[in-house]
C-alpha cells in the first residue's frame, strides 16, 4: 500500500435463518451469531415461524457470503416453514436474482444445522432433515459446505433407554461449544 492510499476492507456477512419451536435450535443459532461476530463477520439472524410471510422476507441471500439455515427435526424432517423460506432463494427475486441464478452456484456458501431428540437412533435421526435443507439450499444456488446437528430437549419425559439418555438440558455447554467450533472452522475456510 502506498503512502496516502486508503484500503477498504469489506467485512464478510452471514445470514442465519432458523425455525425453533422449543428454543433448542435458537440456542444454536444464537451461538452461531456470537461466533460470527467474534470472528469479525457482520451477522443477521432471522427466526422463521409458521406465521412468517415468506413472500416478504427482509433479506436477499445474495447479499451474504454465508447463509446458515437451521431447523428442529419433527418426524425426521425439517420444519416446513424453513424449507419454504429456503425456497425463496436468489432465483425467486426477479431481476435481482436473475443474473445470480445464471451460474450453477453463486458466490454464496451455506451450512445447515438441526436439533433433534434422537430417542432411538441418535444423530441418524437428523440426517433426513439436514439432507432436505441441504438439497433445497443447493437447488437455490447456494453451495452447502457443512452440516451440524446436536440433541435438544423434548417435552416427552426422558428415559435412560434413549440413545442420548436424559436430554432435558440439551443443547448443553458442550453441544454449543461443538456448534461454535464447527462454525469457526467454516469461517476460516471462507477467509
Amino acid at each position: 500500500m502506498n503512502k496516502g492510499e486508503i484500503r477498504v476492507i469489506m467485512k464478510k456477512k452471514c445470514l442465519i435463518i432458523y425455525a425453533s419451536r422449543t428454543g433448542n435450535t435458537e440456542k444454536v443459532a444464537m451461538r452461531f451469531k456470537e461466533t460470527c461476530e467474534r470472528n469479525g463477520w457482520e451477522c443477521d439472524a432471522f427466526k422463521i415461524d409458521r406465521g412468517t410471510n415468506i413472500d416478504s422476507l427482509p433479506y436477499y441471500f445474495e447479499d451474504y457470503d454465508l447463509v446458515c439455515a437451521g431447523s428442529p427435526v419433527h418426524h425426521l424432517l425439517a420444519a416446513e416453514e424453513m424449507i419454504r423460506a429456503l425456497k425463496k432463494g436468489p432465483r425467486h427475486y426477479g431481476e435481482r436474482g436473475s443474473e445470480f441464478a445464471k451460474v450453477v452456484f453463486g458466490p454464496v456458501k451455506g451450512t445447515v444445522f438441526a436439533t433433534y431428540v434422537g430417542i432411538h437412533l441418535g444423530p441418524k435421526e437428523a440426517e433426513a432433515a439436514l439432507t432436505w435443507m441441504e438439497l433445497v439450499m443447493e437447488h437455490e444456488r447456494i453451495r452447502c459446505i457443512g452440516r451440524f446437528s446436536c440433541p435438544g430437549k423434548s417435552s416427552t419425559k426422558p428415559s435412560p433407554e434413549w440413545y442420548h439418555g436424559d436430554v432435558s438440558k440439551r443443547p448443553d455447554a458442550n453441544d454449543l461449544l461443538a456448534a461454535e467450533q464447527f462454525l469457526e472452522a467454516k469461517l476460516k475456510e471462507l477467509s
Side-chain angles (χ1 to χ4, degrees):
M1 190 160 80
N2 296 328
K3 185 178 177 183
E5 187 178 332
I6 297 174
R7 177 179 282 170
V8 177
I9 298 173
M10 301 294 288
K11 271 191 167 186
K12 294 278 191 171
K13 289 180 69 176
C14 178
L15 172 66
I16 301 169
I17 56 172
Y18 65 96
S20 187
R21 296 181 183 157
T22 61
N24 296 330
T25 310
E26 187 164 37
K27 285 180 184 177
V28 175
M30 292 303 102
R31 181 59 68 99
F32 275 15
K33 185 174 184 352
E34 292 167 10
T35 301
C36 283
E37 291 171 346
R38 191 179 58 258
N39 282 278
W41 284 58
E42 288 181 27
C43 187
D44 297 322
F46 189 74
K47 184 177 181 178
I48 307 290
D49 60 34
R50 293 175 181 149
T52 301
N53 182 352
I54 301 300
D55 293 322
S56 64
L57 295 172
Y59 53 79
Y60 293 102
F61 289 128
E62 66 265 29
D63 290 340
Y64 295 89
D65 301 292
L66 179 65
V67 174
C68 301
S71 176
V73 175
H74 291 285
H75 305 290
L76 303 179
L77 295 175
E80 181 59 31
E81 60 268 24
M82 175 52 44
I83 297 304
R84 286 186 296 112
L86 281 172
K87 286 182 179 179
K88 288 304 210 179
R91 66 191 187 93
H92 294 283
Y93 286 115
E95 285 183 33
R96 184 164 183 158
S98 61
E99 288 300 313
F100 187 77
K102 285 182 180 175
V103 294
V104 174
F105 288 103
V108 181
K109 305 295 187 255
T111 66
V112 292
F113 63 99
T115 55
Y116 63 92
V117 177
I119 294 172
H120 307 292
L121 301 173
K124 287 182 182 179
E125 293 183 27
E127 286 303 310
L130 291 167
T131 298
W132 192 18
M133 287 189 294
E134 180 178 351
L135 287 171
V136 172
M137 180 179 277
E138 292 207 347
H139 183 70
E140 298 306 319
R141 313 298 190 249
I142 298 169
R143 169 66 75 191
C144 188
I145 60 169
R147 301 155 60 128
F148 176 81
S149 65
C150 70
K153 69 178 181 257
S154 169
S155 58
T156 306
K157 184 178 180 197
S159 168
E161 291 83 36
W162 287 7
Y163 184 91
H164 290 293
D166 183 359
V167 293
S168 64
K169 295 186 177 20
R170 307 283 296 265
D172 61 18
N174 290 330
D175 297 319
L176 296 175
L177 179 59
E180 181 179 322
Q181 292 169 338
F182 161 81
L183 191 60
E184 279 184 338
K186 298 304 165 190
L187 297 177
K188 283 180 186 170
E189 282 178 29
L190 296 172
S191 294

